[in-house]
Amino acid sequence: MTTEQQRTSIVWDYAPAPEATDHVRLADRYGIFIDGAFRDPAESRYEPTLNPATEQPIAEIAWAGAADVTAAIDSARAAQPKWAALPDRDRAKYLFRIARLIQERARELAVVETLDGGKPLRESRDVDIPLAAAHFFHYAGWADKLRYGVNAREVAPLGVVGQIVPWNFPLLMAAWKLAPALACGNTAILKPAETTPLTALLLAEICQEAELPEGVVSVLPGGGDTGATLVRAPGIDKIAFTGSTAVGRDIQAALAGRPTSLTLELGGKSANIVFEDAALDQAVEGIVNGIFFNQGHVCCAGSRLLIQESVLDEVIAKLWRRMGRLRVGDPLDKNTDVGAINSAEQLQRIETLVAAGEGEGAHRRTIACDLPEHGYWFAPTLFTDVSPAHRIAVEEIFGPVVSVLSFRTQAEAIEKANNSRYGLAAGIWTDKGAKAFEVANALRAGVVWQNTYNHFDPTAAFGGYKESGFGREGGPAGLRPYLKVVR
Ligand code: NDP
């Protein structure tokens, strides 16, 4: 043993730091939210929502059917003209109230998001919930300035919008969708994901507390069939969807030939590009944040890591060392970096793709760690010797798995990064500003981060190219999909 190894051989570990849950007030059962009140679904169907870290049920959740979709549309339609006719600043006041109430209930919302979805508390507390409030604050500020967001043209709301959100950022995605829609004078029907309905239902409570007029927001928990019914229902003026490319395609086909406007935020296989002149330690932190944040359940995750050949071995060595320090386990523990996989189905999808990677000849390394006995878990994994044609280099894994490819020149990096049917995001790591701008301009990706990754801000537009969808959310660009230009 060298002297250095001897000096560093002490095992430093963290004491458990579980977040308290006794302040959370969850009901045993949640109905659907229509006309400003919770009610039983017409077919009286309820399904449990599970904690993916324990597989234990948390609450019974209503499953909205066709009759409930119709009732929500009728309610939203009746409320819309009055909501749109409110003085702009009054609409803003409601959004400010919702934002403040999210802040007041932040601790509870963070715990519930973690219980229902499996993400580490540190992330729901520091990212999801504050950003959800920030989106309401941001769009509250736009409510009386809409025409300035659309080149000073005269604008009008679209009417009733249906919004379908996924399970990876349940409250945050609800905020991304509801805040601009309401600011623009639309009324909205939100369909949360089957595995993570709870914070959307708490947001419905917040709408009540904010005394939001009845019918302005409805929440219809349920399954894919609820979403499909909402998409096809008459009386919807716009659908906003975030989720898989397959379902996005189905929605687009269902709406073809109809006057319903549509925005789709779909999957991705985003390239995170590390040039030899980058600050490599900083880049390694960015790689870790890019792919292991939220267990890799992130549409813009930096899942294709492109490293310049001259620094390939060095970056891989640093990354592998850093990965070994990631703490996987109880999402409610404040020290946890990687929590539970959201559902048994998602775990199976990850396992299938990882097996395909091994089968096709890529070299797999998974960190050694003790995984809890119950729940759905997948330890952070690194694939090297990946060819661009491998499934793990092409398909969205949506888990804590990064595939490494190398490149020699800037041109090759751009070509490889763009060689994807997706185009949602990218990262560039370099200390040369000119190089970063040149590469960013050449990338077909909606968001390009320089020397950072997974950095979200309500003032910045987010959205994709190619099979990653169309339409933008966030910032003034996020107003446009919820308005029509009148003159
Ligand atoms: P889905 O696209 O199936 O789910 C997204 C939302 O759409 C959920 O609310 C879902 O409801 C709803 N939905 C499902 N089917 C339909 C339909 N036919 N019409 C309208 N709405 C529908 O994603 P999954 O949850 O199945 O995840 C599958 C894969 O999709 C993941 O492995 C990942 O690769 C990708 N994904 C990408 C996301 C992104 O942000 N880009 C987010 C989530 C997933 P319900 O939950 O009840 O099924």
Side-chain angles (χ1 to χ4, degrees), residues 164-168 191-195 222-224 227-228 231-232 241-244 247 250-251 265-267 299 346 349 396-398:
I164 302 172
V165 294
W167 42 261
N168 51 347
K191 204 308 263 171
E194 188 181 331
T195 57
V231 166
R232 287 158 181 81
F241 172 79
T242 298
S244 62
V247 172
D250 175 71
I251 293 176
E265 200 266 90
L266 308 175
C299 46
Q346 187 57 29
R349 269 186 223 125
E396 185 175 42
I397 302 177
F398 226 61

Short mmCIF file of all heavy atoms in Angstrom, two decimals, residues 164-168 191-195 222-224 227-228 231-232 241-244 247 250-251 265-267 299 346 349 396-398, ligand 1:
data_model
loop_
_atom_site.label_atom_id
_atom_site.label_comp_id
_atom_site.label_asym_id
_atom_site.label_seq_id
_atom_site.Cartn_x
_atom_site.Cartn_y
_atom_site.Cartn_z
N ILE A 164 -51.56 16.78 -21.02
CA ILE A 164 -51.22 15.42 -20.57
C ILE A 164 -49.74 15.41 -20.18
O ILE A 164 -48.89 15.76 -20.99
CB ILE A 164 -51.51 14.40 -21.68
CG1 ILE A 164 -52.99 14.50 -22.08
CG2 ILE A 164 -51.16 12.98 -21.24
CD1 ILE A 164 -53.36 13.70 -23.30
N VAL A 165 -49.48 15.03 -18.94
CA VAL A 165 -48.09 15.11 -18.45
C VAL A 165 -47.57 13.75 -18.00
O VAL A 165 -48.35 12.87 -17.63
CB VAL A 165 -47.95 16.15 -17.29
CG1 VAL A 165 -48.23 17.55 -17.80
CG2 VAL A 165 -48.85 15.81 -16.12
N PRO A 166 -46.25 13.56 -18.03
CA PRO A 166 -45.66 12.27 -17.65
C PRO A 166 -45.30 12.22 -16.17
O PRO A 166 -45.57 13.16 -15.41
CB PRO A 166 -44.41 12.23 -18.52
CG PRO A 166 -43.98 13.65 -18.60
CD PRO A 166 -45.22 14.48 -18.55
N TRP A 167 -44.61 11.14 -15.80
CA TRP A 167 -44.36 10.86 -14.39
C TRP A 167 -42.99 11.30 -13.91
O TRP A 167 -42.67 11.12 -12.74
CB TRP A 167 -44.51 9.35 -14.15
CG TRP A 167 -43.91 8.49 -15.22
CD1 TRP A 167 -44.61 7.90 -16.25
CD2 TRP A 167 -42.55 8.13 -15.42
NE1 TRP A 167 -43.74 7.20 -17.06
CE2 TRP A 167 -42.47 7.33 -16.57
CE3 TRP A 167 -41.37 8.41 -14.72
CZ2 TRP A 167 -41.27 6.79 -17.06
CZ3 TRP A 167 -40.16 7.89 -15.20
CH2 TRP A 167 -40.13 7.09 -16.36
N ASN A 168 -42.16 11.84 -14.79
CA ASN A 168 -40.78 12.11 -14.34
C ASN A 168 -40.66 13.42 -13.56
O ASN A 168 -39.81 13.52 -12.67
CB ASN A 168 -39.80 12.05 -15.51
CG ASN A 168 -40.21 12.88 -16.69
OD1 ASN A 168 -41.35 13.33 -16.77
ND2 ASN A 168 -39.30 13.09 -17.62
N LYS A 191 -54.25 16.00 -17.23
CA LYS A 191 -54.26 14.54 -17.01
C LYS A 191 -52.87 14.15 -16.51
O LYS A 191 -51.92 14.09 -17.27
CB LYS A 191 -54.56 13.86 -18.34
CG LYS A 191 -55.17 12.47 -18.29
CD LYS A 191 -54.46 11.44 -17.45
CE LYS A 191 -53.56 10.54 -18.27
NZ LYS A 191 -52.72 9.66 -17.43
N PRO A 192 -52.74 13.91 -15.19
CA PRO A 192 -51.43 13.49 -14.68
C PRO A 192 -51.15 12.03 -15.04
O PRO A 192 -52.06 11.31 -15.46
CB PRO A 192 -51.57 13.66 -13.16
CG PRO A 192 -53.02 13.60 -12.88
CD PRO A 192 -53.76 14.00 -14.13
N ALA A 193 -49.90 11.60 -14.86
CA ALA A 193 -49.56 10.21 -15.18
C ALA A 193 -50.10 9.27 -14.11
O ALA A 193 -50.24 9.64 -12.94
CB ALA A 193 -48.05 10.06 -15.30
N GLU A 194 -50.37 8.07 -14.55
CA GLU A 194 -50.99 7.06 -13.69
C GLU A 194 -50.15 6.78 -12.44
O GLU A 194 -50.69 6.57 -11.35
CB GLU A 194 -51.08 5.80 -14.54
CG GLU A 194 -51.82 4.67 -13.99
CD GLU A 194 -51.76 3.50 -15.00
OE1 GLU A 194 -51.66 3.75 -16.22
OE2 GLU A 194 -51.82 2.35 -14.54
N THR A 195 -48.81 6.79 -12.58
CA THR A 195 -47.98 6.40 -11.43
C THR A 195 -47.68 7.57 -10.50
O THR A 195 -47.14 7.35 -9.41
CB THR A 195 -46.64 5.77 -11.89
OG1 THR A 195 -45.97 6.70 -12.73
CG2 THR A 195 -46.86 4.48 -12.64
N GLY A 222 -56.01 9.23 -14.08
CA GLY A 222 -56.47 8.04 -14.82
C GLY A 222 -55.30 7.42 -15.53
O GLY A 222 -54.16 7.62 -15.15
N GLY A 223 -55.60 6.69 -16.59
CA GLY A 223 -54.54 6.01 -17.33
C GLY A 223 -54.39 6.53 -18.74
O GLY A 223 -54.96 7.58 -19.09
N GLY A 224 -53.67 5.75 -19.57
CA GLY A 224 -53.50 6.14 -20.96
C GLY A 224 -54.84 6.28 -21.67
O GLY A 224 -55.01 7.14 -22.54
N GLY A 227 -56.21 9.67 -21.14
CA GLY A 227 -55.53 10.63 -22.01
C GLY A 227 -56.04 10.53 -23.43
O GLY A 227 -56.33 11.54 -24.09
N ALA A 228 -56.17 9.28 -23.91
CA ALA A 228 -56.62 9.08 -25.30
C ALA A 228 -58.04 9.63 -25.49
O ALA A 228 -58.36 10.21 -26.54
CB ALA A 228 -56.56 7.60 -25.64
N VAL A 231 -57.89 13.44 -25.67
CA VAL A 231 -57.38 13.89 -26.98
C VAL A 231 -58.48 13.87 -28.03
O VAL A 231 -58.59 14.78 -28.85
CB VAL A 231 -56.21 12.97 -27.42
CG1 VAL A 231 -55.87 13.16 -28.88
CG2 VAL A 231 -54.99 13.22 -26.54
N ARG A 232 -59.31 12.83 -28.00
CA ARG A 232 -60.30 12.64 -29.05
C ARG A 232 -61.64 13.32 -28.77
O ARG A 232 -62.53 13.32 -29.62
CB ARG A 232 -60.53 11.13 -29.27
CG ARG A 232 -59.35 10.48 -29.98
CD ARG A 232 -59.27 8.99 -29.76
NE ARG A 232 -58.11 8.40 -30.44
CZ ARG A 232 -56.85 8.43 -29.96
NH1 ARG A 232 -56.60 9.00 -28.81
NH2 ARG A 232 -55.85 7.90 -30.65
N PHE A 241 -48.90 17.95 -24.90
CA PHE A 241 -48.52 16.62 -24.41
C PHE A 241 -47.03 16.56 -24.15
O PHE A 241 -46.22 17.04 -24.96
CB PHE A 241 -48.90 15.57 -25.47
CG PHE A 241 -48.37 14.19 -25.15
CD1 PHE A 241 -49.00 13.37 -24.23
CD2 PHE A 241 -47.23 13.70 -25.79
CE1 PHE A 241 -48.51 12.10 -23.93
CE2 PHE A 241 -46.73 12.43 -25.50
CZ PHE A 241 -47.38 11.63 -24.57
N THR A 242 -46.64 15.97 -23.04
CA THR A 242 -45.24 15.59 -22.80
C THR A 242 -45.23 14.11 -22.48
O THR A 242 -46.00 13.65 -21.62
CB THR A 242 -44.64 16.38 -21.62
OG1 THR A 242 -44.65 17.77 -21.95
CG2 THR A 242 -43.19 15.97 -21.38
N GLY A 243 -44.37 13.36 -23.16
CA GLY A 243 -44.29 11.93 -22.92
C GLY A 243 -43.51 11.24 -24.02
O GLY A 243 -42.63 11.85 -24.64
N SER A 244 -43.86 10.00 -24.29
CA SER A 244 -43.07 9.21 -25.24
C SER A 244 -43.40 9.58 -26.69
O SER A 244 -44.50 10.05 -26.99
CB SER A 244 -43.35 7.72 -25.02
OG SER A 244 -44.71 7.46 -25.26
N VAL A 247 -46.56 7.66 -28.09
CA VAL A 247 -47.87 8.23 -27.77
C VAL A 247 -48.05 9.58 -28.49
O VAL A 247 -49.14 9.90 -28.98
CB VAL A 247 -48.06 8.36 -26.24
CG1 VAL A 247 -49.34 9.11 -25.91
CG2 VAL A 247 -48.10 6.98 -25.61
N ASP A 250 -49.30 8.87 -31.85
CA ASP A 250 -50.71 8.46 -31.80
C ASP A 250 -51.62 9.68 -31.67
O ASP A 250 -52.64 9.81 -32.34
CB ASP A 250 -50.90 7.50 -30.61
CG ASP A 250 -52.34 7.11 -30.41
OD1 ASP A 250 -52.83 6.35 -31.25
OD2 ASP A 250 -52.98 7.58 -29.45
N ILE A 251 -51.20 10.63 -30.83
CA ILE A 251 -52.01 11.83 -30.62
C ILE A 251 -52.05 12.66 -31.90
O ILE A 251 -53.11 13.15 -32.31
CB ILE A 251 -51.44 12.66 -29.44
CG1 ILE A 251 -51.62 11.89 -28.13
CG2 ILE A 251 -52.07 14.04 -29.37
CD1 ILE A 251 -51.02 12.55 -26.90
N GLU A 265 -43.98 17.50 -26.59
CA GLU A 265 -42.61 17.47 -26.05
C GLU A 265 -42.32 16.01 -25.78
O GLU A 265 -42.88 15.42 -24.88
CB GLU A 265 -42.57 18.33 -24.78
CG GLU A 265 -41.16 18.77 -24.43
CD GLU A 265 -40.51 17.82 -23.44
OE1 GLU A 265 -39.87 16.84 -23.90
OE2 GLU A 265 -40.67 18.03 -22.23
N LEU A 266 -41.45 15.43 -26.63
CA LEU A 266 -41.31 13.98 -26.63
C LEU A 266 -39.92 13.56 -26.15
O LEU A 266 -39.25 14.30 -25.44
CB LEU A 266 -41.62 13.44 -28.03
CG LEU A 266 -42.96 13.93 -28.61
CD1 LEU A 266 -43.14 13.45 -30.03
CD2 LEU A 266 -44.14 13.49 -27.75
N GLY A 267 -39.52 12.41 -26.56
CA GLY A 267 -38.29 11.83 -26.02
C GLY A 267 -37.02 12.46 -26.56
O GLY A 267 -37.06 13.43 -27.32
N CYS A 299 -36.25 13.73 -20.09
CA CYS A 299 -36.34 13.67 -21.56
C CYS A 299 -35.08 14.22 -22.22
O CYS A 299 -34.68 13.78 -23.28
CB CYS A 299 -37.57 14.41 -22.04
SG CYS A 299 -37.77 16.00 -21.26
N GLN A 346 -41.06 0.60 -16.02
CA GLN A 346 -39.90 1.37 -16.46
C GLN A 346 -38.62 0.61 -16.15
O GLN A 346 -37.69 0.60 -16.96
CB GLN A 346 -39.89 2.76 -15.79
CG GLN A 346 -38.82 3.69 -16.32
CD GLN A 346 -38.91 3.91 -17.84
OE1 GLN A 346 -39.99 3.84 -18.42
NE2 GLN A 346 -37.78 4.13 -18.46
N ARG A 349 -38.10 -1.84 -18.84
CA ARG A 349 -37.61 -1.22 -20.09
C ARG A 349 -36.11 -0.96 -20.02
O ARG A 349 -35.37 -1.20 -20.96
CB ARG A 349 -38.33 0.12 -20.32
CG ARG A 349 -39.57 -0.04 -21.14
CD ARG A 349 -40.18 1.33 -21.46
NE ARG A 349 -41.61 1.23 -21.29
CZ ARG A 349 -42.36 2.00 -20.52
NH1 ARG A 349 -41.83 2.98 -19.85
NH2 ARG A 349 -43.65 1.81 -20.43
N GLU A 396 -33.99 5.83 -26.47
CA GLU A 396 -34.07 6.48 -25.16
C GLU A 396 -34.20 5.40 -24.09
O GLU A 396 -35.13 4.61 -24.12
CB GLU A 396 -35.31 7.39 -25.14
CG GLU A 396 -35.43 8.21 -23.90
CD GLU A 396 -36.60 9.19 -23.95
OE1 GLU A 396 -37.68 8.81 -24.43
OE2 GLU A 396 -36.42 10.33 -23.51
N ILE A 397 -33.25 5.36 -23.15
CA ILE A 397 -33.32 4.34 -22.09
C ILE A 397 -34.14 4.85 -20.92
O ILE A 397 -34.86 4.12 -20.27
CB ILE A 397 -31.90 3.93 -21.64
CG1 ILE A 397 -31.10 3.40 -22.84
CG2 ILE A 397 -31.96 2.89 -20.53
CD1 ILE A 397 -29.66 3.02 -22.54
N PHE A 398 -34.06 6.15 -20.67
CA PHE A 398 -34.84 6.79 -19.59
C PHE A 398 -34.51 6.15 -18.25
O PHE A 398 -35.39 5.83 -17.44
CB PHE A 398 -36.34 6.68 -19.89
CG PHE A 398 -37.07 7.98 -19.67
CD1 PHE A 398 -36.75 9.11 -20.40
CD2 PHE A 398 -38.09 8.08 -18.73
CE1 PHE A 398 -37.41 10.31 -20.21
CE2 PHE A 398 -38.77 9.28 -18.53
CZ PHE A 398 -38.44 10.40 -19.27
P1 NDP B 1 -46.30 7.78 -22.08
O1 NDP B 1 -46.02 8.61 -23.25
O2 NDP B 1 -47.12 6.54 -22.26
O3 NDP B 1 -47.03 8.63 -20.93
C1 NDP B 1 -47.09 10.04 -20.87
C2 NDP B 1 -48.49 10.50 -20.51
O4 NDP B 1 -49.42 10.19 -21.57
C3 NDP B 1 -49.06 9.82 -19.27
O5 NDP B 1 -49.91 10.73 -18.59
C4 NDP B 1 -49.87 8.69 -19.88
O6 NDP B 1 -50.85 8.21 -19.02
C5 NDP B 1 -50.47 9.37 -21.08
N1 NDP B 1 -50.88 8.47 -22.16
C6 NDP B 1 -50.52 7.16 -22.35
N2 NDP B 1 -51.08 6.69 -23.48
C7 NDP B 1 -51.80 7.71 -24.01
C8 NDP B 1 -52.60 7.85 -25.20
N3 NDP B 1 -52.74 6.85 -26.06
N4 NDP B 1 -53.18 9.03 -25.45
C9 NDP B 1 -53.02 10.07 -24.61
N5 NDP B 1 -52.29 10.00 -23.46
C10 NDP B 1 -51.68 8.84 -23.17
O7 NDP B 1 -44.94 7.40 -21.41
P2 NDP B 1 -44.64 6.14 -20.47
O8 NDP B 1 -45.05 6.54 -19.14
O9 NDP B 1 -45.23 4.88 -20.97
O10 NDP B 1 -43.09 6.00 -20.68
C11 NDP B 1 -42.60 5.27 -21.81
C12 NDP B 1 -41.34 5.83 -22.32
O11 NDP B 1 -41.58 7.14 -22.77
C13 NDP B 1 -40.25 5.99 -21.28
O12 NDP B 1 -39.51 4.85 -21.14
C14 NDP B 1 -39.46 7.12 -21.86
O13 NDP B 1 -38.55 6.62 -22.80
C15 NDP B 1 -40.49 7.96 -22.57
N6 NDP B 1 -40.94 9.12 -21.78
C16 NDP B 1 -40.51 10.33 -22.16
C17 NDP B 1 -40.88 11.44 -21.43
C18 NDP B 1 -40.44 12.79 -21.80
O14 NDP B 1 -40.49 13.68 -20.97
N7 NDP B 1 -40.05 13.02 -23.02
C19 NDP B 1 -41.70 11.34 -20.24
C20 NDP B 1 -42.16 10.01 -19.95
C21 NDP B 1 -41.77 8.97 -20.71
P3 NDP B 1 -50.48 6.98 -18.05
O15 NDP B 1 -49.33 7.41 -17.21
O16 NDP B 1 -51.69 6.84 -17.24
O17 NDP B 1 -50.16 5.82 -18.92
#
